[in-house]
């Protein structure tokens, strides 16, 4: 488990760091010995292996590759990853608007192949309507300028493109508590449109929406569980192994990433238990449309 506010821990950085660590261990070097031979601090090399550096010098990759006996082709692949790190993501211009740790999450979300959400409090950002998102931002950040609120909303809405893009849309599963749609955000009209939008998104082949109804008996595994997102990653097209899955959670005082395999396994068990108590997909859509009609009345 790591508390992470490192802006560099996006997918290419993590892949590069993991590949260098695996190469070091495969060559039989300790972190201390490698750092000594590289004439750099142990902490500096450790940050590279953890994907926490904004930049990694290409000559350092070449030297590490020579030290670990990597083939020239593999070194070039690692250098290509380092060059990806220098490319600014589309949300970087709005980094000052992001909560601590969220920049890291966006970098991981952009590279994920599957997202699994549990949300008992709010409509998840990826399926929020424009009006709902604006109402949320105004309620939570009343001192923000209208321009900053609009930028936050634009950022949130733009993220949703990963679900609707034509090429390789992300597979996403949403388990949302019914109470989320009874809690009025903005106005009943906003909530009606929001409920219908989530129902419509659930008809997409890559999106699953399951509602945990008010009458559901929550399994013991789901008691006291905060909102979370599980992220699964694909293998790289150049042969890098898939990044291990991660669980991202948000709390009142910060964000947390769970990366240890036992922690992720436990969250998967919790997710399956909550899902077993939720409605199937079509009944979930039917319920959302019923809630929308009630708001419209």
């Amino acid at each position: 488990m790591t508390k992470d506010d490192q802006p560099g821990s996006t997918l290419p950085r993590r892949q590069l760091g993991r590949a260098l660590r695996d190469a070091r261990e495969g060559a039989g070097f300790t972190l201390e010995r490698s750092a000594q031979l590289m004439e750099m601090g142990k902490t500096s090399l450790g940050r590279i292996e953890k994907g926490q550096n904004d930049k990694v010098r290409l000559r350092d990759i070449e030297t590490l590759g020579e030290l670990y006996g990597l083939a020239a082709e593999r070194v070039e692949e690692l250098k290509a990853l380092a060059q990806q790190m220098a490319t600014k993501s589309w949300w970087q211009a709005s980094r000052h608007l992001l909560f601590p740790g969220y920049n890291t999450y966006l970098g991981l979300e952009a590279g994920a192949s599957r997202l699994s959400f549990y949300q008992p409090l709010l409509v998840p950002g990826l399926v929020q309507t424009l009006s709902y998102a604006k109402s949320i931002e105004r309620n939570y950040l009343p001192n923000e300028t209208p321009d900053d609120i609009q930028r936050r909303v634009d950022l949130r809405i733009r993220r949703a493109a990963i679900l609707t893009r034509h090429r390789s849309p992300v597979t996403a599963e949403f388990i949302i508590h019914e109470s989320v749609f009874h809690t009025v955000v903005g106005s009943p009209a906003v909530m009606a449109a929001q409920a219908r939008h989530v129902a419509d998104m659930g008809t997409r082949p890559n999106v699953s929406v399951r509602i945990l109804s008010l009458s559901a008996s929550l399994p013991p595994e789901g008691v006291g569980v905060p909102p979370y997102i599980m992220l699964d990653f694909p293998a790289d097209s150049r042969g890098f192994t898939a990044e291990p899955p991660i669980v991202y959670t948000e709390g009142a005082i910060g964000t947390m990433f769970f990366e240890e395999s036992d922690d992720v396994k436990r969250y998967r068990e919790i997710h399956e238990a909550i899902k077993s108590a939720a409605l199937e997909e079509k009944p979930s859509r039917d319920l959302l449309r019923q809630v929308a009609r009630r708001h419209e009345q």
Side-chain angles (χ1 to χ4, degrees), residues 212-255:
L212 192 63
S213 71
L214 294 173
S215 61
S217 178
L218 190 65
E221 291 86 345
V223 174
V225 176
Y228 61 78
I229 307 170
M230 288 191 293
L231 301 92
D232 290 284
F233 303 95
D236 190 275
S237 60
R238 289 160 299 185
F240 292 101
T241 57
E243 184 70 13
I246 294 173
V247 177
Y248 171 78
T249 66
E250 291 180 335
I253 58 174
T255 62

Side-chain angles (χ1 to χ4, degrees), residues 28-279:
F29 288 95
T30 64
L31 181 64
E32 292 84 352
R33 182 57 175 159
S34 290
Q36 182 183 43
L37 293 172
M38 288 291 294
E39 297 184 349
M40 67 169 59
K42 174 185 173 183
T43 300
S44 297
L45 183 56
R47 283 180 58 82
I48 292 174
E49 291 190 358
K50 292 176 182 177
Q52 294 177 344
N53 276 17
D54 287 328
K55 296 179 181 179
V56 177
R57 295 182 299 183
L58 297 184
R59 64 174 177 269
D60 285 342
I61 295 176
E62 291 174 348
T63 305
L64 286 168
E66 182 178 348
L67 180 64
Y68 301 152
L70 298 180
E73 181 180 348
R74 184 59 168 176
V75 172
E76 289 304 311
E77 291 173 345
L78 296 179
K79 288 167 64 177
L81 275 180
Q83 289 170 330
Q84 285 183 42
M85 291 163 50
T87 302
K88 285 191 175 182
S89 302
W90 60 264
W91 62 84
Q92 291 300 314
S94 300
R95 279 183 61 178
H96 67 289
L97 298 173
L98 302 176
F99 293 112
Y102 202 60
N103 183 63
T104 297
Y105 170 76
L106 288 179
L108 294 171
E109 180 185 79
S113 57
R114 181 180 180 85
L115 303 168
S116 302
F117 293 76
Y118 171 59
Q119 180 51 265
L121 303 173
L122 298 169
V123 174
L126 288 181
V127 288
Q128 288 179 4
T129 63
L130 182 62
S131 296
Y132 185 95
K134 283 185 176 180
S135 298
I136 287 291
E137 295 294 345
R138 291 193 191 104
N139 287 340
Y140 278 82
L141 301 164
N143 297 323
E144 289 281 292
T145 67
D147 285 345
D148 278 349
I149 287 177
Q150 186 60 52
R151 290 191 190 98
R152 289 182 188 277
V153 170
D154 291 343
L155 177 67
R156 188 171 301 194
I157 298 302
R158 186 172 179 182
R159 281 176 53 216
I162 64 174
L163 299 179
T164 58
R165 64 194 180 199
H166 294 296
R167 183 177 180 182
S168 302
V170 170
T171 297
E173 179 179 73
F174 298 89
I175 302 178
I176 311 172
H177 200 282
E178 182 186 346
S179 61
V180 169
F181 298 96
H182 291 287
T183 303
V184 176
V185 173
S187 70
V190 168
M191 295 308 303
Q194 179 63 77
R196 291 188 188 281
H197 176 67
V198 175
D200 291 344
M201 287 296 294
T203 65
R204 301 186 67 87
N206 61 306
V207 177
S208 170
V209 173
R210 303 278 294 273
I211 300 299
L212 192 63
S213 71
L214 294 173
S215 61
S217 178
L218 190 65
E221 291 86 345
V223 174
V225 176
Y228 61 78
I229 307 170
M230 288 191 293
L231 301 92
D232 290 284
F233 303 95
D236 190 275
S237 60
R238 289 160 299 185
F240 292 101
T241 57
E243 184 70 13
I246 294 173
V247 177
Y248 171 78
T249 66
E250 291 180 335
I253 58 174
T255 62
M256 190 75 72
F257 290 92
F258 292 86
E259 304 183 51
E260 296 295 331
S261 58
D262 287 346
D263 293 334
V264 174
K265 179 183 177 183
R266 181 60 183 141
Y267 265 98
R268 288 202 191 279
E269 293 169 350
I270 290 170
H271 190 75
E272 289 303 313
I274 296 174
K275 185 164 71 172
S276 70
L279 297 173

